Amino acid sequence: MNNKIKILLFTDWYEPGFKAGGPIRSCVNFAAEMKADYDIYIFTGDRDLGDAHSYPEIETNRWIEKDGLQLFYASPAVLNWESILVHIQRVKPDYQYLNSMYSRYFTIYPLLMKRLKLIKSKVILAPRGMLKSTAVQYKTGKKKIFFRLLKWLHIPRKIIFHATDTTEVNDIKKLFGNNVSVTQIANFPPQQQALQAIPKVPGTVRMIFSGRVHPIKNLLFFLHCLQSVIGEITLTIVASIEDVEYWQECEKLIKTFPKAVTVELLQDVPHHQVGQLINEHHLFVLPSRGENFGHAIFEALSAGRPVLISDQTPWRNLSEQQAGWDLPLDDPSAFMRVLQQAADMSDDEFQQWSTGAWQYAKNFAESAGLKEKYRELFS
C-alpha cells in the first residue's frame, strides 16, 4: 500500500515551457528532488508564456505519468472553477502547493476553495518573488485591492507561506501581518556540472545576459554601463521580449555602440540550451531589481562563470570569494569599473574567478540541507 504524502502542485507554466524563467525552474527542481519521497501531481497550463498554441507532442486535458510524476496540462477550455475543483477532489492531496501570487486559476481559485471549505488539504503558497517592492510597483492599484481582499477573507491565516529568503519573509509579513505562518527555505538549485574552462585574452570579454526583457531585469541600465567600457566586447542577450517598448529603448542605445562592441539577441532559447551558451562566455550579467532566487545566476555560478549582479538577490558577498560582484543599483560607476576589470582580466586571473564561482555554487549546494527542510514543510 502506498502511504506517501500526496502533493498537488499548481503552476501556470511547467516544462517543456521555459519563457517564464525562474518559477518554472523552481517547480521542476522541486519535483525532481522530492518525487522519491512524495506522490507529486502537477496541474499546469498547456502552453508557454505568451503562446497561442499548446505544446507540441504533449497530451492535454488528461493525467499523464512522466519521470515519476503525474502531470495535467490544462487547455484554456478546461481552466474553470468546476474543472479545477473536480481535479482537486479526485487527487485528494494532503497538500496543495501554489507557485504564483496573482494567477486566477492556479492560485486564486484554490485559495477561495480553501476559504469556502470545499477542500481539506493544507495549502502552501510560494509567492515566487512577486511580493517584492520592485515587483509590486507594477499594476499597483489592482494588487493593493487583491491584498485587501485576501486579508478581508482571512485567507493568509489559513495557509502557510513559503519564502525563499529573509527579504521575502519580511515582504510577506509587511503585507499580511506578523501572525501569518511563513517558512523560509531556499529553492533547489540545478545539479552542478563539471567546470569547463575557456581561455581569456586581456582586452576582450564575452558577456551573457539571460532573462526576460522587462524593466525589472534592468537590461537598459546594464547597456548604459557598458557604454564606457574599452575593449573588444561581445554581449549575448538570451531573452524573451516581454515589454516591446522597453526593448525598443534598448535597441536604440545598442545602435550607438562602437564597432568593438557586438550585441546579439537570441530569443526564446529553450532552457536546456542556455547552459551551453553560458559556458561559451566569460561573464554572466543580470542587474535585476529583484530576484527571490535567480536560477540563471546560480546556473552561471555552478558553471564556473563569475556573475555581475545587483544587491537585490540572495547571492551576496560574491567578490570576497572571487565568484562575482553584487553591486548597488544606485552606483552605476561601480558596474562600469567591474565591467572594465572583466575586460582587462588576464587568463590566469579569469581562471581564478572562474574556479571561485564554481566553488561558491558547490558550497551552497552542500551546506543548504534543503531536502530535510522541505520534508519538514510537507509533513
Side-chain angles (χ1 to χ4, degrees):
M1 184 176 177
N2 185 0
N3 292 318
K4 285 184 179 178
I5 290 173
K6 197 178 291 185
I7 299 172
L8 176 55
L9 185 154
F10 282 90
T11 176
D12 292 74
W13 304 283
Y14 193 77
E15 282 189 333
F18 59 88
K19 294 179 184 177
I24 295 177
R25 305 322 309 164
S26 298
C27 294
V28 169
N29 294 346
F30 170 83
E33 293 285 349
M34 303 304 290
K35 65 184 180 183
D37 300 318
Y38 298 87
D39 281 338
I40 297 180
Y41 291 71
I42 297 169
F43 190 88
T44 187
D46 74 342
R47 61 201 64 193
D48 211 347
L49 174 65
D51 284 0
H53 303 287
S54 59
Y55 301 117
E57 301 178 6
I58 292 286
E59 291 186 77
T60 62
N61 301 333
R62 63 181 294 268
W63 286 102
I64 56 176
E65 185 174 356
K66 184 179 180 182
D67 299 329
L69 304 168
Q70 299 291 328
L71 298 112
F72 191 101
Y73 291 91
S75 70
V78 303
L79 281 177
N80 55 63
W81 177 278
E82 293 79 7
S83 177
I84 293 170
L85 181 58
V86 164
H87 285 289
I88 295 173
Q89 292 173 337
R90 285 179 180 171
V91 173
K92 296 179 180 177
D94 299 288
Y95 289 89
Q96 290 182 70
Y97 188 24
L98 314 180
N99 287 269
S100 177
M101 194 65 223
Y102 312 111
S103 174
R104 176 180 175 183
Y105 303 112
F106 300 95
T107 302
I108 298 173
Y109 279 9
L111 287 177
L112 290 174
M113 291 170 188
K114 176 68 173 177
R115 177 64 180 84
L116 295 170
K117 300 181 179 179
L118 299 175
I119 53 178
K120 296 180 180 179
S121 51
K122 295 179 181 178
V123 174
I124 295 173
L125 172 57
R128 298 295 174 207
M130 296 179 189
L131 297 181
K132 287 184 179 291
S133 58
T134 50
V136 171
Q137 68 178 327
Y138 299 100
K139 301 180 181 178
T140 306
K142 289 182 179 179
K143 290 176 181 178
K144 285 183 177 179
I145 294 171
F146 176 62
F147 297 147
R148 284 199 294 267
L149 180 61
L150 285 183
K151 287 187 279 189
W152 181 70
L153 292 171
H154 303 292
I155 288 175
R157 296 184 183 183
K158 299 179 182 296
I159 64 175
I160 301 168
F161 286 93
H162 168 210
T164 56
D165 61 13
T166 53
T167 301
E168 192 162 46
V169 171
N170 294 332
D171 291 335
I172 291 167
K173 291 189 174 183
K174 180 180 177 181
L175 285 166
F176 300 116
N178 291 321
N179 294 326
V180 296
S181 176
V182 185
T183 298
Q184 180 184 333
I185 315 174
N187 288 318
F188 281 110
Q191 293 294 318
Q192 189 161 18
Q193 56 185 293
L195 177 58
Q196 297 181 31
I198 59 170
K200 171 73 171 65
V201 177
T204 70
V205 63
R206 293 176 57 84
M207 305 178 184
I208 183 168
F209 172 101
S210 180
R212 295 173 292 134
V213 174
H214 186 280
I216 202 167
K217 300 299 182 181
N218 228 5
L219 174 60
L220 188 60
F221 169 89
F222 172 71
L223 294 172
H224 278 292
C225 294
L226 190 59
Q227 281 184 305
S228 70
V229 182
I230 299 170
E232 295 287 331
I233 299 162
T234 299
L235 171 62
T236 304
I237 301 169
V238 181
S240 300
I241 297 178
E242 188 170 321
D243 187 322
V244 175
E245 290 184 7
Y246 184 80
W247 171 244
Q248 288 171 346
E249 287 186 67
C250 294
E251 273 191 311
K252 191 181 299 184
L253 185 57
I254 290 168
K255 289 176 181 176
T256 69
F257 284 179
K259 290 183 178 180
V261 180
T262 302
V263 180
E264 181 182 19
L265 171 68
L266 301 179
Q267 290 192 67
D268 301 335
V269 177
H271 177 262
H272 68 273
Q273 296 178 13
V274 175
Q276 183 54 43
L277 285 170
I278 289 173
N279 281 332
E280 295 168 0
H281 293 75
H282 301 105
L283 181 68
F284 177 93
V285 295
L286 187 67
S288 173
R289 294 180 179 176
E291 300 288 327
N292 84 315
F293 187 77
H295 285 276
I297 297 169
F298 189 86
E299 287 184 34
L301 290 166
S302 65
R305 298 298 177 261
V307 301
L308 172 56
I309 59 177
S310 74
D311 60 1
Q312 300 299 305
T313 87
W315 311 111
R316 304 299 303 277
N317 305 314
L318 295 169
S319 61
E320 295 174 10
Q321 299 181 52
Q322 289 191 311
W325 302 264
D326 44 289
L327 305 176
L329 292 172
D330 60 2
D331 187 6
S333 62
F335 282 84
M336 296 174 192
R337 285 194 297 271
V338 166
L339 288 169
Q340 191 62 60
Q341 178 185 344
D344 295 340
M345 270 188 187
S346 67
D347 185 66
D348 286 346
E349 189 179 4
F350 171 73
Q351 301 309 332
Q352 289 177 10
W353 283 81
S354 179
T355 302
W358 189 89
Q359 192 63 49
Y360 182 98
K362 185 173 185 287
N363 291 344
F364 171 83
E366 291 177 348
S367 65
L370 295 177
K371 270 199 173 182
E372 282 305 315
K373 294 176 182 178
Y374 276 101
R375 288 189 187 114
E376 290 178 17
L377 178 60
F378 291 95
S379 63

